[in-house]
Amino acid sequence: MTIPRRVTLAATAHEPGVELPAIGQGTWFMGEGLAPRADEVRALQQGLERGLRLIDTAEMYGDGGAEEVVGEALAGRRDDAFLVSKVFPWNAGRDTAIAACEASLKRLGTDHLDLYLLHWPGGIPLDETLEAFERLRAAGKIRRFGVSNFDVDDMDALLATPGGNDCAVNQVLYHLGSRGIEHALRPWQRDHGMPLMAYCPLAQAGRLRRRLLDHPEVLAVAAERELTPAQLLLAWAIRPVDGRRGDARRDVIAIPKAVQPGHVSDNADALDVSLDEDALARLDAAFPAPTRKAPLDIV
């Protein structure tokens, strides 16, 4: 049976469920002059044309510069994208989150976000943040909210807060060399019907970073299947995983950043890759799954 290469965000009291491709587009380090702005804009538009409609950004990235790049890429085609941005924890107060979101919307050139995330746990009480998110939703400025860099204890606290059970996703670092979430967090989210968003799926960063793209086994498995190493790693990140009830399904959306046209194409093509049991077993042997709870890997 072919398992759809899409991930579903559950319906809420105010929004229907939505299906998204299991690979989206990240924008970390965009808007910082590391690549020509025109190339960054073109890359995001190319990704949209290839079906990578989720675009993830944040007020943190380039001090808002990445949001401006995204806004330029979406000019005249906002409806083509599922747009995600994130708020600093210190901006996530009852009123400051409203102002932060409005500033993001202005940089993005849009009147709403499809998903607004708390970038990481902070000192402002969750009930204040959730109150602000609900005000933003009621005003039509966001459609859904979620969190990022939350571990199991953080998620328990979130769900114990009124309104917390409307959280759509948790975005965390996840790649073949950083599998700590598989022990506790990913099963917790599976049990609660909450997908993961995986940042740095090509091991661009993280405490458990390994040189995955030139690892001998990654190179061998990829070459035998006529894949690039990056395509192999993306296909692995979004692979269907059996839940505790044996229900194999996809519950991870990977959000690699790409600027070069070839990299964008590789990312889009990875949506069509299904890894066989031999490939998965060899990757598991080279990079074993965790046997105990590990601290959440965060950049």
Side-chain angles (χ1 to χ4, degrees):
M1 180 182 71
T2 299
I3 297 175
R5 295 175 174 87
R6 305 178 77 81
V7 173
T8 300
L9 302 190
T12 70
H14 308 285
E15 293 290 329
V18 59
E19 285 193 340
L20 296 166
I23 297 175
Q25 302 188 79
T27 62
W28 192 23
F29 293 120
M30 286 190 178
E32 299 185 21
L34 300 178
R37 184 186 183 104
D39 289 352
E40 294 174 337
V41 169
R42 174 201 41 75
L44 292 172
Q45 293 174 338
Q46 179 189 352
L48 288 174
E49 290 157 6
R50 291 295 311 275
L52 306 181
R53 59 184 292 252
L54 185 149
I55 297 179
D56 174 84
T57 190
E59 66 172 344
M60 184 184 83
Y61 301 164
D63 292 326
E67 289 180 324
E68 293 174 350
V69 171
V70 173
E72 187 172 340
L74 293 182
R77 57 188 307 175
R78 169 65 181 89
D79 291 345
D80 293 345
F82 185 93
L83 185 55
V84 185
S85 194
K86 299 184 279 292
V87 60
F88 277 123
W90 51 85
N91 282 345
R94 184 172 287 110
D95 296 316
T96 52
I98 306 295
C101 183
E102 289 174 345
S104 287
L105 293 174
K106 183 175 181 180
R107 287 188 291 267
L108 289 160
T110 184
D111 62 356
H112 74 281
L113 293 169
D114 296 293
L115 180 62
Y116 197 35
L117 307 181
L118 174 60
H119 208 148
W120 63 87
I124 292 176
L126 282 172
D127 60 344
E128 276 198 43
T129 302
L130 295 185
E131 178 185 329
F133 284 172
E134 173 55 24
R135 287 168 58 199
L136 288 166
R137 186 211 59 77
K141 294 177 181 178
I142 68 173
R143 299 278 173 83
R144 286 176 167 83
F145 80 87
V147 295
S148 181
N149 296 305
F150 272 44
D151 207 344
V152 173
D153 289 348
D154 303 310
M155 297 304 298
D156 284 336
L158 176 66
L159 261 64
T161 304
N165 58 0
D166 283 335
C167 179
V169 301
N170 182 19
Q171 183 182 123
V172 295
L173 187 150
Y174 182 54
H175 56 70
L176 179 61
S178 180
R179 302 181 62 175
I181 66 168
E182 293 179 17
H183 186 273
L185 182 60
R186 187 172 187 176
W188 186 101
Q189 293 200 207
R190 172 72 68 103
D191 288 347
H192 289 81
M194 186 187 303
L196 284 154
M197 291 179 67
Y199 70 82
C200 294
L202 302 180
Q204 296 98 323
R207 180 177 55 82
L208 302 179
R209 179 177 181 173
R210 307 201 190 186
R211 295 184 60 82
L212 292 186
L213 291 172
D214 58 4
H215 187 278
E217 191 70 337
V218 170
L219 292 173
V221 173
E224 291 166 16
R225 289 153 183 82
E226 299 183 337
L227 302 172
T228 67
Q231 287 175 323
L232 177 68
L233 294 178
L234 287 176
W236 180 89
I238 67 168
R239 72 202 185 284
V241 171
D242 287 342
R244 292 172 179 170
R245 294 182 294 274
D247 51 337
R249 67 178 186 272
R250 298 182 197 271
D251 56 7
V252 170
I253 301 172
I255 47 170
K257 173 217 170 191
V259 175
Q260 299 305 315
H263 293 163
V264 178
S265 291
D266 283 350
N267 292 350
D269 289 343
L271 272 175
D272 295 325
V273 176
S274 295
L275 297 180
D276 56 82
E277 292 301 320
D278 175 68
L280 293 172
R282 288 166 61 183
L283 293 175
D284 276 343
F287 300 92
T291 57
R292 62 177 62 89
K293 177 77 170 65
L296 188 67
D297 204 8
I298 297 174
V299 177

